[in-house]
């Protein structure tokens, strides 16, 4: 269930009965549980609106809301809040429902299912993937998993930067300096060779006019479908994909589609036609441009911030080359007409915000009706507070693969320090799951809009809000179950999944806190998927792990007996199931033993 949504509905009904007004109850979880589980804040605004005492209104609402079976008590506090304490038996019943729902752990599906394209990762051909692409990959993958789990039809699309003026330079450069063996099938670092040649070529083009012209000619030939150039371009794409696939494999990230920018090449002239037909663009010094001021003057609706834009939005350069802008418009047309998408979601660095605002504004003016969202994210910083470099002090590129190697190495080292003993033959696998999980969790636990510091020590920790801590909490419960099987009374609890129907008892305060936390899972999942905020899941998992720890310390499980033991084992099973499900929504694996 979605507990806050449910309480808000009940609260709204109480507001209506108490005041005759149709107004939100504004239910929020309390920060201090001594005052209650939830707080209803709606009376304050109503007091202002009805020009009467918020406390009196709060008292009237409290009287109604307490009739709801979920609510045990409702007390007026402060200038007009209502503190709600939920009924423990009601919570216990919701938990029993969740326990029985092995498929979905009590998380409902959305009513209105949509077809959603998620554009994520999207690195560029012949270049190393950088840290920004890593963030897009990790966040985008989690967003896909969340949207899928709540029931949407999701298409993950890797919109590779595989087309553009750089390929003219690369073609001539490769013919001049390239070593095909270095970017062929068995090459160690194919992207390294492509980058080396590209650097030479762009330097040469600066002061060698004939070379620059040759690059433009080769680009034109490529775009006109010249077979030799096309084959060369394909070999660049294939070489880059081999390196990319290695990183995606290690991250466990997959895509439904790989429709790079080149896919839309033939649609680009049509995009310009349709912009012109709608009077949205015009020629300026040979280039095709959108002047937002002029678009607004012609009576069309233009977002305010674009009116402040001095530079036009260029959709075709004066040499006839198309741009990122025109490609994105064509891509949208394709997603709408061919993929029949209801929504197109872009997981791309916040710094590309202006680009997407302009693309989205044009899409609306072209009457493309589909939901458009730019899901931005901040910059990864080093411990010095400056943007994390993908080159080390000596100027060497730190590849993402070497970053993941380091994560695994540090995870292994850290487990030795923590005295966690792992059988020799499992060490590599455990280091992999913990290391990769730590990198992903460190990213996903942040509100994606903020910048965050890449800090190995905080990331690989078994104590704070870190991936290994959550994975460890899970493994500990699994080990509890292995032991429980030797206890006669718990013989039924063979696995967390086929746990028998059980009456949940929430007598001890720690049991109740854990139960209340478990009941909130569905709400967290839905909020995270609606707002594209995976950190809400990480927060939940961290709170849940801590609530479980406190419960486990205060409430003996294996030493308890009868219905009490059965209930405590059920709480442990549900905790483990939520930890596993929550981590999988973040794209993080679990280990049964650590
Ligand atoms: N290739 C671009 C970059 O590296 C990201 C593409 C994002 N997706 C899009 N449809 N524009 O910055």
């Amino acid at each position: 269930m979605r507990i806050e949504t449910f309480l808000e509905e009940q609260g709204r009904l109480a507001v209506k009965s108490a005041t005759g007004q149709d107004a939100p109850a504004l239910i929020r979880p309390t920060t201090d549980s001594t005052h209650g589980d939830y707080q209803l804040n709606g009376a304050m605004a109503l007091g202002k609106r009805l020009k009467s005492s918020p406390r009196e209104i709060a008292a009237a609402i409290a009287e109604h809301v307490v009739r709801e079976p979920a609510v045990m008590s409702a007390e007026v506090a402060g200038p007009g809040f209502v503190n709600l304490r939920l009924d423990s038996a009601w919570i216990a019943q919701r938990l029993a429902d969740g326990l029985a729902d092995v498929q979905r752990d009590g998380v409902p599906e959305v009513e209105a299912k949509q077809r959603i394209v998620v554009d994520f990762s999207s690195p560029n051909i012949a270049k190393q993937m950088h840290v920004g692409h890593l963030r897009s990959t990790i966040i985008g993958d989690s967003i896909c998993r969340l949207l899928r789990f709540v029931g949407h039809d999701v298409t993950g699309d890797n919109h590779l930067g595989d087309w553009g003026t750089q390929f003219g330079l690369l073609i001539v450069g490769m013919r001049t300096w390239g070593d095909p063996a270095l970017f062929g099938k068995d090459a160690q670092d194919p992207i390294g060779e492509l980058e080396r040649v590209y650097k030479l070529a762009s330097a040469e083009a600066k002061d060698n006019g004939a070379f620059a012209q040759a690059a433009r000619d080769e680009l034109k030939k490529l775009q006109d479908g010249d077979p030799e150039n096309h084959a060369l371009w394909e070999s660049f794409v294939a070489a880059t994909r081999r390196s990319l696939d290695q990183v995606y494999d290690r991250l466990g990230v997959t895509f439904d589609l790989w429709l790079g920018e080149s896919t839309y090449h033939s649609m680009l002239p049509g995009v310009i036609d349709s912009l012109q037909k709608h009077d949205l663009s015009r020629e300026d010094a040979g280039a095709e441009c959108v002047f937002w001021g002029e678009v607004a003057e012609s009576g069309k609706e233009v977002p305010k911030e674009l009116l402040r834009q001095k530079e036009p939005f260029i959709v075709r350069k004066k040499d006839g080359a198309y741009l990122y802008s025109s490609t994105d418009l064509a891509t949208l047309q394709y997603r709408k007409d061919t993929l029949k998408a209801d929504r197109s979601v872009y997981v791309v660095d916040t710094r590309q915000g202006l680009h997407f605002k302009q693309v989205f504004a044009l899409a609306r003016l072209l009457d493309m009706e589909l939901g458009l969202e730019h899901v931005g994210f901040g910059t990864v910083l080093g411990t010095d507070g400056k943007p994390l470099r993908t080159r080390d002090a000596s100027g060497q590129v730190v590849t993402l693969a070497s970053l993941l190697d380091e994560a695994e190495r540090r995870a292994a080292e850290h487990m030795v320090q923590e005295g966690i003993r792992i059988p020799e033959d499992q060490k590599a696998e455990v280091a992999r799951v913990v290391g990769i999980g730590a990198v992903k969790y460190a990213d996903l636990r942040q509100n994606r809009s903020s910048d965050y510091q890449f800090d190995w020590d905080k990331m690989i920790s078994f104590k704070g809000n870190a991936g290994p801590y959550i994975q460890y909490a899970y493994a500990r419960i699994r080990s509890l179950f292995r032991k429980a099987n030797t206890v006669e009374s718990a013989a039924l609890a063979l696995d967390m999944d086929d746990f028998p129907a059980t009456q949940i008892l929430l007598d001890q305060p720690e049991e109740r806190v854990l139960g209340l936390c478990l009941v909130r899972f569905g709400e967290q999942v839905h909020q995270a998927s609606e707002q594209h905020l995976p950190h809400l899941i990480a927060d939940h998992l961290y709170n849940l792990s801590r609530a479980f720890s406190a419960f486990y310390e205060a409430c003996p499980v294996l030493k308890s007996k009868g219905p009490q033991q059965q209930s405590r084992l059920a709480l442990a099973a549900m905790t483990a199931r939520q930890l596993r499900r929550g981590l999988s929504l973040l794209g993080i694996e679990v280990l049964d033993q650590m």
Side-chain angles (χ1 to χ4, degrees):
M1 75 163 329
R2 295 189 61 169
I3 187 163
E4 281 157 41
T5 308
F6 169 80
L7 291 174
E8 180 65 31
E9 279 160 16
Q10 303 310 313
R12 229 188 150 100
L13 292 176
V15 167
K16 180 105 195 176
S17 321
T19 65
Q21 300 289 314
D22 205 359
L26 303 177
I27 301 280
R28 305 275 175 272
T30 52
T31 37
D32 178 357
S33 64
T34 50
H35 300 309
D37 304 319
Y38 284 90
Q39 194 167 61
L40 183 155
N41 295 335
M44 314 280 276
L46 270 173
K48 259 200 202 124
R49 201 164 96 197
L50 303 175
K51 298 205 171 44
S52 65
S53 143
R55 271 191 77 94
E56 269 166 38
I57 295 177
I61 297 174
E63 214 173 283
H64 280 90
V65 83
V66 80
R67 292 180 201 160
E68 160 60 36
V71 180
M72 189 185 71
S73 69
E75 272 158 24
V76 179
F81 311 116
V82 184
N83 285 326
L84 306 179
R85 195 168 292 284
L86 301 189
D87 182 63
S88 294
W90 183 86
I91 299 175
Q93 190 49 52
R94 304 286 81 72
L95 292 172
D97 296 346
L99 182 66
D101 182 10
V102 178
Q103 295 302 319
R104 306 196 47 84
D105 287 327
V107 181
E109 291 203 328
V110 287
E111 271 156 35
K113 296 193 179 175
Q114 291 180 314
R115 180 162 292 178
I116 306 177
V117 174
V118 181
D119 178 321
F120 73 109
S121 195
S122 311
N124 303 316
I125 295 299
K127 285 196 197 146
Q128 294 290 351
M129 222 203 224
H130 58 64
V131 188
H133 295 124
L134 179 68
R135 270 210 102 172
S136 172
T137 307
I138 293 174
I139 298 173
D141 178 52
S142 176
I143 285 175
C144 288
R145 288 165 185 266
L146 281 161
L147 290 170
R148 244 177 227 131
F149 182 53
V150 298
H152 294 299
D153 174 0
V154 177
T155 303
D157 184 13
N158 197 351
H159 187 80
L160 288 179
D162 62 357
W163 204 244
T165 45
Q166 74 271 32
F167 288 103
L169 283 170
L170 258 177
I171 290 171
V172 213
M174 207 45 91
R175 287 195 179 122
T176 320
W177 301 287
D179 181 349
L182 288 181
F183 73 101
K185 249 199 169 51
D186 307 309
Q188 278 281 323
D189 177 21
I191 295 186
E193 174 64 1
L194 293 171
E195 280 190 321
R196 180 185 75 87
V197 168
Y198 182 73
K199 249 185 244 154
L200 289 172
S202 58
E204 182 74 21
K206 281 214 179 80
D207 24 57
N208 179 346
F211 188 91
Q213 187 53 47
R216 280 194 289 275
D217 294 344
E218 293 309 317
L219 179 70
K220 179 94 179 62
K221 275 166 69 187
L222 169 68
Q223 292 179 338
D224 293 343
D226 171 74
E228 211 178 301
N229 281 7
H230 202 268
L232 206 49
W233 169 81
E234 271 181 345
S235 72
F236 304 153
V237 176
T240 311
R241 272 209 56 170
R242 278 195 293 277
S243 314
L244 292 177
D245 278 333
Q246 282 174 11
V247 174
Y248 294 138
D249 275 354
R250 291 182 70 177
L251 292 173
V253 171
T254 56
F255 301 88
D256 302 294
L257 295 173
W258 289 70
L259 298 180
E261 293 178 16
S262 64
T263 318
Y264 307 99
H265 177 59
S266 66
M267 291 172 69
L268 297 175
V271 167
I272 308 294
D273 278 353
S274 106
L275 286 171
Q276 287 169 342
K277 272 201 202 101
H278 284 76
D279 277 328
L280 293 167
S281 70
R282 67 167 172 86
E283 196 231 273
D284 181 61
E288 190 69 22
C289 302
V290 177
F291 290 91
W292 291 110
E294 293 175 14
V295 174
E297 271 161 35
S298 72
K300 298 190 176 73
E301 213 172 302
V302 175
K304 261 212 194 85
E305 45 202 318
L306 295 185
L307 289 177
R308 286 194 293 269
Q309 214 41 49
K310 292 209 179 65
E311 304 292 319
F313 192 49
I314 307 177
V315 288
R316 189 177 58 204
K317 291 206 288 194
K318 72 166 185 278
D319 64 4
Y322 296 97
L323 295 153
Y324 195 44
S325 52
S326 16
T327 311
D328 259 330
L329 286 169
T331 307
L332 253 179
Q333 192 78 56
Y334 181 85
R335 289 182 183 162
K336 179 178 168 280
D337 296 344
T338 308
L339 301 180
K340 310 265 181 255
D342 300 308
R343 280 158 76 187
S344 180
V345 174
Y346 301 80
V347 187
V348 186
D349 197 315
T350 301
R351 287 174 288 192
Q352 292 193 27
L354 179 61
H355 167 76
F356 286 108
K357 273 200 191 100
Q358 307 197 76
V359 170
F360 295 174
L362 285 176
R364 279 183 206 110
L365 292 167
L366 290 168
D367 301 317
M368 291 193 217
E369 275 169 47
L370 76 170
L372 298 170
E373 294 155 273
H374 173 208
V375 177
F377 51 80
T379 308
V380 186
L381 308 172
T383 29
D384 57 359
K386 296 196 187 119
L388 189 73
R389 299 208 167 248
T390 37
R391 285 168 203 285
D392 65 16
S394 59
Q396 282 287 74
V397 182
V398 181
T399 61
L400 292 187
S402 65
L403 188 128
L404 299 179
D405 288 342
E406 170 121 13
E408 294 183 15
R409 188 183 61 71
R410 283 180 184 255
E413 209 177 81
H414 196 76
M415 282 184 291
V416 174
Q417 282 163 15
E418 288 284 317
I420 299 175
R421 274 196 299 271
I422 297 151
E424 201 54 45
D425 61 332
Q426 288 167 26
K427 272 193 176 146
E429 174 66 358
V430 174
R432 182 188 70 78
V433 172
V434 175
I436 304 288
V439 170
K440 287 190 177 186
Y441 192 91
D443 197 311
L444 294 170
R445 62 164 277 220
Q446 312 289 334
N447 185 324
R448 60 177 162 75
S449 356
S450 30
D451 297 346
Y452 85 92
Q453 258 186 13
F454 196 90
D455 180 337
W456 284 116
D457 293 330
K458 282 199 192 121
M459 194 179 300
I460 301 184
S461 159
F462 289 90
K463 295 188 185 84
N465 188 1
Y469 173 72
I470 315 283
Q471 287 170 323
Y472 194 58
Y474 174 80
R476 267 177 67 193
I477 302 179
R478 295 302 311 223
S479 119
L480 168 74
F481 273 92
R482 279 190 297 274
K483 284 184 212 139
N485 282 337
T486 65
V487 176
E488 223 178 42
S489 61
L492 280 171
L494 283 172
D495 185 65
M496 332 172 304
D497 279 346
D498 30 53
F499 204 92
T502 297
Q503 184 174 14
I504 310 287
L505 310 166
L506 302 176
D507 303 331
Q508 295 300 315
E510 292 82 3
E511 287 173 318
R512 193 174 184 284
V513 170
L514 177 61
L516 202 50
C517 187
L518 285 165
V519 151
R520 296 191 63 199
F521 187 53
E523 184 67 49
Q524 298 303 318
V525 169
H526 276 270
Q527 287 192 16
S529 77
E530 282 164 3
Q531 303 168 54
H532 309 300
L533 291 178
H535 82 276
L536 297 178
I537 301 296
D539 284 351
H540 178 77
L541 298 179
Y542 182 54
N543 292 335
L544 182 61
S545 302
R546 296 208 319 180
F548 183 80
S549 250
F551 154 83
Y552 196 54
E553 246 168 62
C555 310
V557 178
L558 298 182
K559 289 202 181 96
S560 59
K561 291 212 166 51
Q564 187 179 55
Q565 181 175 62
Q566 189 68 12
S567 163
R568 288 182 177 173
L569 283 168
L571 286 171
M574 287 174 83
T575 303
R577 269 163 49 178
Q578 264 186 29
L579 290 174
R580 183 176 59 189
R581 173 93 65 190
L583 284 172
S584 102
L585 290 172
L586 300 180
I588 297 175
E589 295 172 64
V590 289
L591 292 158
D592 285 349
Q593 211 162 346
M594 257 169 97

